[in-house]
């Protein structure tokens, strides 16, 4: 396990370094000027130049990249141009909403997909299989933001079971409670999960069907094991390798996909912060938030690789 883990750690570090270069370079070549945006279109060139110097925008790109990476390593992310507060505080405040939202959506995705995928595989080429896969195909075709609007119209406008938007907070000091906060995140989580659950259900079905044809499944059935016990006790674990792969990618997509859904439900999460920072040309916030999302994607893939070795030792052995 040692060489396998070391190789994955080195790959993780190299990928993070490459991602930081890409994020910095892409944002550097974008048109516009943060100082000009903050000062307004009628500001004099001297005032804009003075503000640019104060913000460090007049420094060479390589020097600014070095300062940024050093800040990432030490947790000193600088101050937002638009908000005037430390970027670290802004990000941590918004992550308190975005991460639970993504986790809730991933939990809903996993439960729905595993149940639907295993159910469809156990009824291969029967009406249950056809019906579940038909619903999955519809789920894949539905855009998240459109489904979110439908949920608001049904459960908020017509039935009035949920709020149409906003977030009350996790504590009484912020005017809310954990239960109210989870209730406010339920509709956004469902709108995020519907497409991902449909995709994962199809992957689960295909993987389970492939494992069901293996010799060890027929042997287990011949020894008197019931179909349900063989399905959930033997088949599902051996079918989890491709499923875990897709789950890891989906969780990363859920973190990044909150940008649109958070704006539909007017949630003060990381996605809305990125959207507002782009509009304000607040590059220091955009850069750090995008790098954070990229790092989350890379770390999730690293965790998936480790789970590979835990689920199937052959993966670890073949990599050495």
């Amino acid at each position: 396990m040692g060489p396998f883990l070391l190789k994955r750690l080195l790959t993780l570090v190299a990928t993070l370094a490459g991602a930081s270069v890409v994020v910095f370079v892409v944002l550097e070549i974008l048109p516009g000027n943060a100082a000009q945006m903050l000062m307004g279109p009628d500001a004099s060139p001297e005032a804009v130049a003075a503000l640019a110097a104060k913000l460090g925008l007049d420094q060479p790109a390589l020097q600014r990249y070095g300062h940024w990476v050093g800040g990432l390593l030490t947790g000193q992310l600088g101050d937002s141009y638009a908000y005037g507060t430390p970027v670290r505080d802004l990000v941590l405040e918004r992550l308190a909403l975005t991460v639970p939202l993504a986790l809730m959506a991933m939990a809903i995705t996993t439960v729905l997909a595993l149940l639907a995928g295993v159910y469809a595989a156990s009824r291969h080429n029967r009406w249950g299989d056809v019906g579940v896969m038909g619903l999955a195909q519809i789920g894949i075709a539905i855009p998240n933001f459109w489904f979110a609007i439908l949920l608001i119209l049904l459960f908020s406008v017509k039935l009035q079971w949920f709020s149409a938007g906003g977030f009350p907070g996790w504590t009484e000091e912020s005017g809310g409670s954990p239960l109210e906060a989870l209730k406010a995140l339920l509709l956004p989580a469902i709108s995020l999960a519907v497409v991902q659950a449909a995709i994962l259900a199809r992957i689960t079905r295909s993987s389970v069907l492939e494992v069901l044809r293996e010799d060890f499944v027929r042997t287990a059935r011949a020894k008197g094991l019931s179909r349900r016990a063989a399905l959930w006790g033997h088949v599902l674990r051996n079918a989890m390798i491709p499923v875990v792969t897709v789950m890891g990618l989906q969780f990363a997509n859920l973190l990044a996909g909150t940008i649109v859904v958070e704006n539909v439900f007017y949630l003060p999460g990381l996605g809305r912060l990125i959207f507002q920072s782009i509009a304000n040309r607040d590059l220091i916030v955009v850069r750090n938030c995008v790098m954070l999302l990229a790092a989350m994607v890379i770390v999730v893939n690293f965790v998936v690789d480790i789970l590979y070795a835990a689920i199937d030792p052959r993966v670890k052995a073949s990599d050495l």
Side-chain angles (χ1 to χ4, degrees):
M1 189 67 178
F4 173 82
L5 184 59
L6 179 61
K7 183 176 180 180
R8 288 294 181 268
L9 283 173
L10 292 176
T11 303
L12 172 69
V13 173
T15 308
L16 286 173
S20 69
V21 173
V22 172
V23 169
F24 183 84
V25 170
V26 169
L27 291 179
E28 280 296 308
I29 64 177
L30 288 177
N33 184 287
Q36 184 70 61
M37 179 67 70
L38 292 173
M39 295 294 293
D42 299 329
S44 64
E46 294 79 11
V48 173
L51 181 59
K54 181 180 179 181
L55 298 176
L57 300 177
D58 60 336
Q59 298 175 356
L62 186 60
Q63 184 177 352
R64 281 184 282 131
Y65 174 76
H67 287 163
W68 176 54
V69 172
L72 289 175
L73 296 176
T74 60
Q76 303 299 322
L77 305 181
D79 295 334
S80 166
Y81 303 153
Y83 294 93
T85 58
V87 176
R88 182 179 60 183
D89 296 342
L90 280 174
V91 170
L92 291 177
E93 179 184 354
R94 303 304 179 95
L95 281 177
L97 185 149
T98 298
V99 172
L101 174 60
L103 290 173
M104 186 184 297
M106 193 69 239
I108 296 173
T109 297
T110 303
V111 172
L112 292 179
L114 291 183
L115 290 176
V118 173
Y119 176 84
S122 65
R123 288 157 177 79
H124 183 47
N125 286 335
R126 291 192 285 179
W127 283 112
D129 181 21
V130 175
V132 170
M133 288 301 99
L135 291 175
Q137 191 64 39
I138 295 174
I140 294 174
I142 295 177
N144 285 332
F145 69 91
W146 185 74
F147 190 68
I149 294 173
L150 291 183
L151 291 177
I152 292 174
L153 290 175
L154 176 60
F155 293 103
S156 299
V157 177
K158 186 174 182 60
L159 299 177
Q160 297 184 356
W161 291 353
F162 297 89
S163 171
F167 185 68
W170 294 100
T171 62
E172 294 182 358
E173 289 78 5
S174 59
S177 66
L179 184 60
E180 292 178 356
L182 291 175
K183 184 179 179 181
L185 295 181
L186 184 58
L187 291 185
I190 293 175
S191 65
L192 284 171
V194 61
V195 175
Q196 305 301 332
I199 296 172
L200 190 60
R202 295 181 67 89
I203 299 296
T204 303
R205 173 185 176 273
S206 299
S207 184
V208 169
L209 285 176
E210 183 177 350
V211 177
L212 278 172
R213 302 186 183 101
E214 297 290 338
D215 292 336
F216 75 90
V217 178
R218 287 192 289 269
T219 301
R221 295 280 287 132
K223 289 183 176 181
L225 198 65
S226 68
R227 182 177 178 83
R228 180 186 297 271
L231 193 63
W232 292 99
H234 296 276
V235 174
L236 186 58
R237 178 176 178 179
N238 287 276
M240 284 301 290
I241 288 286
V243 175
V244 169
T245 304
V246 177
M247 287 174 62
L249 296 175
Q250 285 184 323
F251 183 67
N253 288 334
L254 287 173
L255 288 168
T258 59
I259 295 178
V260 175
V261 172
E262 284 179 1
N263 279 279
V264 172
F265 286 93
Y266 207 75
L267 297 174
L270 189 65
R272 186 164 179 80
L273 175 63
I274 295 175
F275 182 83
Q276 293 171 335
S277 298
I278 292 174
N280 294 330
R281 189 63 186 177
D282 199 347
L283 283 185
I284 190 169
V285 175
V286 176
R287 183 186 300 145
N288 284 293
C289 289
V290 171
M291 186 61 207
L292 175 62
L293 292 176
M296 286 180 175
V297 173
I298 295 168
V299 170
V300 167
N301 287 328
F302 169 76
V303 173
V304 169
D305 286 342
I306 303 303
L307 289 177
Y308 279 174
I311 296 173
D312 189 352
R314 293 174 299 178
V315 175
K316 177 180 65 176
S318 65
D319 206 280
L320 298 178

